[in-house]
Amino acid sequence: YYHLLKQGFKVVWTTTNSYTVEERRDVHQKLFCLATDLSMLKLLEAFLESVPQLLLQLFIVLGHNECSVMQC
């Protein structure tokens, strides 16, 4: 979060005339890459938080040989 916010504020508060078109494109590309990395890390975090519960549920369901109405 910190690096993305820091770079975002830097781009917003820097005058647009100080960057050439190519430099502005590079800055926007870098910000986009930071946002993408942050999104992927959030997705990985959510997956890793839910995996233990899913494994426990699978162990319980597969550990019993009968199927109840609530499981089907």
Side-chain angles (χ1 to χ4, degrees):
Y1 287 131
Y2 174 72
H3 293 294
L4 183 60
L5 288 175
K6 182 180 172 184
Q7 291 294 329
F9 280 124
K10 184 178 175 184
V11 169
V12 169
W13 292 111
T14 305
T15 58
T16 57
N17 294 337
S18 64
Y19 288 129
T20 64
V21 174
E22 190 171 308
E23 288 174 337
R24 194 176 312 142
R25 187 177 305 130
D26 290 340
V27 169
H28 285 276
Q29 178 71 23
K30 185 177 178 182
L31 287 174
F32 181 75
C33 289
L34 285 173
T36 304
D37 290 345
L38 185 61
S39 296
M40 291 302 292
L41 286 174
K42 284 183 173 183
L43 179 67
L44 181 65
E45 178 187 13
F47 176 73
L48 291 176
E49 286 179 356
S50 64
V51 166
Q53 182 179 0
L54 176 64
L55 289 177
L56 179 62
Q57 290 173 350
L58 285 173
F59 177 76
I60 292 170
V61 169
L62 295 176
H64 299 291
N65 289 334
E66 67 260 359
C67 182
S68 69
V69 176
M70 296 300 283
Q71 291 177 344
C72 298

